């Protein structure tokens, strides 16, 4: 009886089998379709994620380039272990063409005792988790400094890596370095004493007007000594030549060029352009780093391009620049002083030197008007290395055409 | 026992059959509709994602490639090379600073980036216009100076297959692969060169493509030059004595060399940052309902165009 009942009931239930089978098959098909779709969607998601990581790495690499560019604009320091450190001083690394440098970032934002950046790691991690490492090589050629920056960005999960390269050129603030210790457009009248020496060449005073060396026994010029053991390698070399006296108050040697019309015929602006490669107003606007009415306030400053407005009458003993960190001082007026003033770099006077006092220049002095030192003393020693060191605080410019990410 | 069995095999009543059939149909119908919906949405999803993937891949290719426009290797590993000495006769003239205006991949009217209105009328839309064809060049092979001037265009590092471009040709988005310079083809023409289609034209058609240079900017690096180029009274000419920096700054509106265009032969330097806004629309060939409208990306060309006017 039990058997019978069971058979009976299963027979009755067989009526729904068709529906059940159809439903089951359809459900299985639906499952497969859904699985296939989700696989594609997952794949799409993977592609999007890859793209996102790729973009993240790219942006990190770009950030590395930007950080390096702005750091180069703000000056660098170099540590002993071939690393380049963005710092707030104005020195540039001595450029060693064969070396490759790691750029060190200030990642924790902790400043040093002087309030400068305190670099601590050569990988910079950005807020979104991506990181960047920057290396660079540097080259000095034809008086230009060039940095080749390579920035490697890595995405937060380290799956994507992009490399960007960019060249940066430092545009020198003084494209045409003067060749003479003392250059004037107007002329030279030496009332006191003057020594002008050029250990790197054979001319000392180049003037568009007359040169009157005065009557002081101490006044003399000196030129590179051709009998120097290192001659002629010492001309413009790191070790300067010895000098031999050339002109005195009695004898005017070949080293003094006077009444040169090629200078005298220039306008004041053309004379300026000749050295700086820009009109005075444009140069002042774009290149000058310090503009002041009080020259004495710049005592001890180095590595700057200083524009002094108006006539200067400076008192006391001041030193502007140093051998390693020279200055370019442009006096937009006449210059006179008392006391001793020392200059390292280029002293460019758009007016005349009128006063007395001691003026010591290592580098070059260029005077637009008349250089008459009154009763004071003027000592100029030409030094091309000092003048060329001014390149270091030139303006960095991204070399157009140098950016690549492949 | 037997008799009961036989009795049971009697069949069903009409009512039973009807109810059973109805219930069965409802169940099967429900499952069928779920099935159909799933298949349809899956199909739609697949189609959409296919279109999406292909269009964004194309967009990525364009963005990444256009960004490189104007790259030129300044220092090929194989020898000294000067941009301003393209024939390469003066190999001793090792130059640390390549004059950007002599960049062989950024010469206006030849290799510099240009947008043309479309490939048939092929008109240069200028520095701020828009169109459906873009042309540019970059040093993809990272120039080999010793390779010689293979195509006779006067520049050793510039090769036929380094002139790129994208254009809309009907419903196809095409990339330029090379230009036969020696054969007289002009690189700054959307009709010249050999082009390959980027989209799979059997399944996807591009309905619109636009390159817009409207966000580009131009800087006249010679300003302030103390000349009132745009005649707005600033700076006063001649400059009065004692004029200050602040007054000079009022001249800064002349810095934009798209508004105040420097004269030909004026010798001023201009730097142009080219910004390209790319807009792309596409749809499926067999289901035109599935489409992407105005996908947009902006790319800033990294290597600026430097010109001496």
């Amino acid at each position: 009886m039990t058997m019978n009942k069971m058979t009976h009931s299963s027979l009755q239930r067989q009526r729904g089998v068709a529906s059940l089978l159809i439903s089951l098959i359809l459900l299985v098909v639906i499952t497969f379709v859904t699985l296939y779709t989700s696989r594609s969607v997952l794949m799409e998601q993977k592609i999007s994620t890859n793209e996102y990581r790729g973009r993240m790495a790219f942006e990190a690499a770009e950030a590395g380039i930007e950080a390096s560019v702005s750091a180069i604009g703000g000056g660098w320091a170099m540590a002993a272990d071939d690393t380049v450190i963005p710092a707030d001083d104005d020195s540039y690394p001595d450029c060693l063409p064969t070396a490759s440098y790691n750029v060190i970032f200030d990642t924790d934002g902790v400043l040093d005792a002087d309030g400068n950046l305190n670099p601590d790691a050569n990988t910079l991690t950005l807020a979104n988790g991506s990181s960047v490492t920057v290396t660079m090589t540097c080259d000095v050629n034809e008086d230009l400094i060039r940095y080749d920056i390579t920035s490697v960005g890595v995405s937060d999960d380290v799956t994507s890596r992009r490399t960007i390269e960019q060249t940066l050129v430092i545009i020198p603030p003084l494209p045409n370095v003067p060749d003479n210790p003392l250059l004037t457009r107007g002329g030279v009248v030496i009332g006191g004493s003057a020594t002008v020496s050029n250990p790197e060449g054979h001319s000392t005073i180049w003037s568009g007007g007359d040169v009157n060396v005065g009557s002081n026994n101490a006044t003399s010029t000196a030129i590179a000594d051709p009998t120097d053991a290192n001659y002629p390698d010492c001309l413009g070399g790191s070790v300067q030549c010895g000098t031999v006296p050339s002109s005195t108050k009695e004898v005017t040697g070949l080293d003094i060029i006077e009444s040169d019309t090629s200078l005298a015929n220039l306008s004041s602006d053309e004379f300026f352009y000749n050295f700086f490669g820009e009109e005075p107003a444009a140069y002042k606007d774009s290149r000058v780093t310090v503009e002041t009415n009080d020259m004495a306030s710049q005592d001890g400053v180095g590595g700057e391009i200083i524009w002094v407005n108006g006539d200067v009458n400076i008192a006391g003993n001041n030193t502007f620049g140093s051998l390693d960190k020279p200055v370019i001082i442009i006096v937009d007026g006449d210059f006179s002083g008392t006391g001793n003033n020392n200059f390292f770099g280029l002293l460019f006077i758009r007016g005349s030197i009128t006063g007395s006092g001691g003026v010591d220049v290592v580098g070059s002095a260029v005077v637009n008007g008349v250089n008459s030192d009154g009763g004071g003393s003027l000592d100029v020693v030409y030094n091309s290395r000092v003048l060329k060191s001014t390149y270091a605080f030139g303006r960095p410019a991204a070399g157009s055409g140098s950016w690549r990410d492949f | 026992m037997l008799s009961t069995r036989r009795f049971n095999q009697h069949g069903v009543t009409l009512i039973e059959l009807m109810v059973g059939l109805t219930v069965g149909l409802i169940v099967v119908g429900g499952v069928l509709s779920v099935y159909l919906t799933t298949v349809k949405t899956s199909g739609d999803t697949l189609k959409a994602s296919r279109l999406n993937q292909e269009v964004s891949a194309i967009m990525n290719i364009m963005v990444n490639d256009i960004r490189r426009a104007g790259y030129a290797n300044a220092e090929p590993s194989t020898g000294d090379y000067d941009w301003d000495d393209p024939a390469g006769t003066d190999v001793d003239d090792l130059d640390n600073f390549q004059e950007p205006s002599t960049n062989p991949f950024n010469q206006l009217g030849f290799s510099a980036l240009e947008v043309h209105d479309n490939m048939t009328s092929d008109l240069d839309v200028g520095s701020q216009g828009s169109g459906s064809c873009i042309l540019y060049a970059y040093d993809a092979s990272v120039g080999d100076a010793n390779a010689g001037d293979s195509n006779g265009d006067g520049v050793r590092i510039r090769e036929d297959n380094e002139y790129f471009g994208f254009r809309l040709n009907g419903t196809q988005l095409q990339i330029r692969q090379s230009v036969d310079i020696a054969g007289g083809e002009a690189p700054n023409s959307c009709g010249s060169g050999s082009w390959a289609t980027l989209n799979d034209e059997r399944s996807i058609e591009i309905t619109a493509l636009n390159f817009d240079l409207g966000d580009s900017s131009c800087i006249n690096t010679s300003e302030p030059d103390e000349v009132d180029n745009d005649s707005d009274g600033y700076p006063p000419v001649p400059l009065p004595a004692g004029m200050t920096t602040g007054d000079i700054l009022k001249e800064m509106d002349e810095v934009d060399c798209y508004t105040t265009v420097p004269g030909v032969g004026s010798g001023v330097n201009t730097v142009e940052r080219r910004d390209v806004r790319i807009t792309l629309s596409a749809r499926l060939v067999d289901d035109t309902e599935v489409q992407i409208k105005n996908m947009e990306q902006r790319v800033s060309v990294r290597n600026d165009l430097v010109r001496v006017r």
Side-chain angles (χ1 to χ4, degrees), chain A residues 270-341:
Chain A
E270 283 167 348
F271 187 69
F272 185 93
Y273 191 92
N274 194 34
F275 298 99
F276 295 100
E278 275 182 84
E279 300 284 328
Y283 190 84
K284 185 182 174 186
D285 192 61
S286 63
R287 306 299 294 272
V288 167
T289 54
V290 176
E291 188 182 343
T292 180
N293 296 322
D294 176 19
M295 189 168 170
S297 68
Q298 300 302 311
D299 181 26
V301 165
E304 303 281 356
I305 305 169
I306 302 165
W307 183 284
V308 187
N309 288 315
D311 295 342
V312 170
N313 191 351
I314 192 167
N317 302 322
N318 301 292
T319 300
F320 302 93
S322 65
L323 273 176
D324 295 329
K325 281 194 196 177
V327 286
I328 293 175
I329 295 186
I330 301 160
V331 177
D332 197 8
D334 294 338
F335 177 87
S336 66
T338 56
N340 267 315
N341 290 297

Side-chain angles (χ1 to χ4, degrees), chain A residues 1 3-4 7-8 11-12 15 18-20 22-24 26-27 29-30 33-34 36-37 40-41 43-45 47 51 55 58-59 62 139-142 144-146 148 162 165-167 169 171 269 278-282 284-285 291 397 399-406, chain B residues 1 4-5 8 12 16 20 23-25 27-28 31-32 34-35 38-39 41-42 45-46 48-49 52-53 56 60 64 67-68 70-75 83 93-97 100 103 106 138-142 222-224 226 245 248-249 252 297 302-306:
Chain A
M1 189 63 193
M3 261 302 267
N4 205 6
T7 322
H8 170 73
L11 265 175
Q12 274 197 328
R15 201 163 287 141
S19 310
L20 184 64
I22 293 172
S23 305
L24 266 177
L26 286 181
L27 278 173
V29 173
I30 286 176
V33 168
T34 315
Y36 180 71
T37 315
S40 313
V41 171
M43 187 60 80
E44 191 185 5
Q45 200 154 18
I47 292 172
E51 201 186 303
R55 216 170 277 184
F58 175 80
E59 297 299 341
E62 284 265 280
D139 197 4
V140 184
N141 203 341
E142 291 190 1
L144 284 165
I145 303 176
R146 194 185 75 192
D148 290 327
R162 292 289 288 272
E165 289 178 33
Q166 168 103 57
T167 299
V169 178
I171 298 174
D269 282 359
E278 275 182 84
E279 300 284 328
K284 185 182 174 186
D285 192 61
E291 188 182 343
S400 174
S402 66
W403 186 97
R404 70 165 159 144
D405 66 341
F406 56 94
Chain B
M1 215 32 172
T4 343
R5 240 192 154 149
N8 275 347
V12 289
E16 270 182 317
V23 171
L25 276 177
V27 171
V28 172
V31 174
L32 206 65
V34 172
Y35 168 78
T38 313
V39 170
T41 42
S42 294
T45 313
L46 286 177
S49 81
N52 225 346
Q53 273 179 35
S56 40
N60 267 337
N64 283 329
R67 194 186 278 131
R68 298 168 180 160
Y71 169 74
N73 190 6
E75 210 178 25
W83 289 353
D93 184 16
L94 179 64
D95 202 343
N96 228 348
F97 179 66
N103 183 340
N106 243 343
Y138 66 86
D139 194 4
S141 64
V142 193
S222 304
E223 296 287 348
E226 297 182 11
T245 313
I248 299 281
L249 284 178
M252 292 311 272
Q297 268 199 46
R302 294 302 195 278
N303 295 308
D304 295 341
L305 173 62
V306 180

Side-chain angles (χ1 to χ4, degrees), chain A residues 386-398:
Chain A
V386 166
L387 291 172
K388 284 178 179 173
S389 296
T390 60
Y391 286 176
F393 45 92
R395 184 172 51 185

Side-chain angles (χ1 to χ4, degrees), chain B:
Chain B
M1 215 32 172
L2 252 166
S3 68
T4 343
R5 240 192 154 149
R6 248 178 233 139
F7 175 76
N8 275 347
Q9 283 181 351
H10 240 251
V12 289
T13 63
L14 186 60
I15 302 217
E16 270 182 317
L17 190 69
M18 298 279 280
V19 169
L21 274 176
T22 317
V23 171
L25 276 177
I26 288 173
V27 171
V28 172
V31 174
L32 206 65
S33 86
V34 172
Y35 168 78
L36 287 176
T37 321
T38 313
V39 170
K40 192 181 178 314
T41 42
S42 294
D44 287 350
T45 313
L46 286 177
K47 281 177 185 167
S49 81
R50 166 147 204 209
L51 182 67
N52 225 346
Q53 273 179 35
E54 186 148 342
V55 170
S56 40
I58 291 175
M59 190 59 119
N60 267 337
I61 291 173
M62 290 198 290
V63 165
N64 283 329
D65 214 55
I66 290 173
R67 194 186 278 131
R68 298 168 180 160
Y71 169 74
N73 190 6
E75 210 178 25
S77 55
T78 46
D80 304 340
Y81 178 77
D82 266 354
W83 289 353
D84 48 4
D85 175 28
T89 47
D90 180 15
V91 287
D92 296 328
D93 184 16
L94 179 64
D95 202 343
N96 228 348
F97 179 66
Q98 300 281 17
E99 176 55 46
S101 61
T102 59
N103 183 340
F105 291 90
N106 243 343
Q107 292 304 310
L108 207 71
F110 198 77
S111 53
L113 186 137
E114 277 180 22
V115 170
H116 289 202
D117 55 351
N118 56 59
M119 66 169 283
T120 36
S121 68
D122 201 16
L123 282 174
D124 185 356
V125 297
S127 42
Q128 292 197 289
S130 69
S132 70
C133 170
I134 193 168
L135 301 169
Y136 57 94
Y138 66 86
D139 194 4
S141 64
V142 193
D144 181 352
N146 280 354
D149 184 10
S150 56
N151 57 3
D153 65 355
V155 179
R156 282 182 296 161
I157 61 170
R158 213 161 51 188
E159 310 293 337
D160 277 354
N161 58 2
E162 291 173 341
Y163 295 96
F164 301 95
F166 293 100
R167 70 178 184 191
L168 184 65
N169 184 358
T171 58
Q172 300 180 7
L173 200 158
Q174 298 183 313
I175 182 170
R176 186 158 74 179
Q177 295 176 308
S178 71
V179 175
D180 184 6
I181 301 283
E185 286 186 328
N188 62 334
S189 156
C190 288
S192 68
S194 64
W195 299 71
T197 304
L198 272 182
N199 58 312
D200 176 7
E201 68 263 47
R202 285 162 307 176
S203 58
I204 286 166
E205 56 187 33
I206 308 291
T207 48
L209 173 68
N210 193 45
F211 301 100
D212 187 353
L213 292 172
D215 295 328
S216 304
S217 55
C218 180
I219 290 172
N220 182 342
T221 55
S222 304
E223 296 287 348
D225 60 357
E226 297 182 11
V227 177
D228 186 9
N229 299 306
D230 59 357
S231 314
D232 66 350
Y234 286 103
V237 181
L239 207 65
M243 187 142 177
T244 64
T245 313
D247 296 321
I248 299 281
L249 284 178
K250 289 175 182 158
E251 196 191 346
M252 292 311 272
D253 57 341
E254 293 171 6
V255 165
D256 183 348
C257 44
Y258 284 150
T259 45
T260 309
V261 180
V264 177
S266 58
V268 306
N269 278 290
T270 60
V271 178
E272 283 164 72
R273 163 62 52 119
R274 278 84 44 91
D275 250 18
V276 188
R277 209 168 45 230
I278 309 170
T279 339
L280 182 60
S281 303
R283 64 182 182 202
L284 286 182
V285 172
D286 50 9
D287 185 356
T288 52
E289 290 290 295
V290 183
Q291 52 184 298
I292 291 179
K293 275 212 165 139
N294 299 330
M295 178 190 256
E296 186 179 297
Q297 268 199 46
R298 217 181 111 167
V299 55
S300 198
V301 176
R302 294 302 195 278
N303 295 308
D304 295 341
L305 173 62
V306 180
R307 278 200 279 164
V308 179
R309 301 288 178 125

